[in-house]
Amino acid sequence: MIIRLHGLALLPASARRPRAIIEACRLTLRGERAGKAGELNIIFVQRARMLALNKDFLKHDHDTDVIAFHYEKAAGKQSPFGDVYISAYQARVQADRLGHAVLKEVLTLVVHGTLHLLGYDDRTPGKKKEMFRAQDRLLARL
């Protein structure tokens, strides 16, 4: 799996850790036995861009921290895996609210978004519990 990072400059210097971010992706993919083909883009965006994505694609008119877009596989071809958009603004806000480093929040959001690409869903209490159990297990390994 090719993993590309975009928009790291939007994060505070203490959270710009490409190796740690890529390792969070790889650990999540390995932990969920995902294939090795394809491309995963982790894209950090400003608040306005994330608000626009949330409104355009999910029809929500509020801040969100992470949105994942899974690519459909073309018949007989290995296509890109997907994109995970992360709000640099929300990462800072949530880290401050939870009392931990922005890097920890970024890694949490990277794992969360990658789990979404792998089919995890957090729209119901039961599914959310299952997803957060997997997320916590993976984060404990980082």
Side-chain angles (χ1 to χ4, degrees):
M1 177 87 50
I2 296 169
I3 300 170
R4 291 196 172 95
L5 306 179
H6 309 272
L8 281 175
L10 296 173
L11 297 174
S14 62
R16 288 184 218 140
R17 300 288 184 260
R19 286 185 187 159
I21 294 167
I22 289 170
E23 181 56 26
C25 293
R26 292 200 188 288
L27 178 67
T28 304
L29 294 166
R30 277 193 312 267
E32 296 299 315
R33 295 176 177 83
K36 297 185 185 214
E39 180 177 309
L40 172 57
N41 291 292
I42 305 295
I43 306 157
F44 296 96
V45 296
Q46 294 179 356
R47 183 181 189 188
R49 177 71 174 130
M50 191 60 130
L51 282 165
L53 288 168
N54 202 18
K55 189 172 187 175
D56 292 346
F57 291 96
L58 300 176
K59 309 301 182 222
H60 299 154
D61 195 16
H62 56 78
D63 283 310
T64 192
D65 51 6
V66 61
I67 299 175
F69 296 98
H70 193 278
Y71 295 140
E72 297 294 323
K73 290 185 180 182
K77 294 184 179 182
Q78 292 183 347
S79 62
F81 184 66
D83 294 336
V84 174
Y85 285 83
I86 297 173
S87 169
Y89 168 80
Q90 277 302 115
R92 288 190 304 275
V93 167
Q94 290 172 190
D96 186 53
R97 187 178 70 234
L98 295 169
H100 59 233
V102 176
L103 178 60
K104 181 176 181 176
E105 189 63 23
V106 164
L107 296 176
T108 300
L109 297 175
V110 165
V111 169
H112 189 87
T114 305
L115 285 171
H116 273 306
L117 292 178
L118 292 166
Y120 280 83
D121 182 4
D122 57 3
R123 288 182 273 182
T124 67
K127 294 286 186 182
K128 185 174 184 175
K129 184 176 180 180
E130 178 184 339
M131 183 176 190
F132 277 74
R133 189 178 309 124
Q135 178 179 301
D136 291 345
R137 176 181 43 83
L138 291 161
L139 287 168
R141 293 180 58 197
L142 282 175

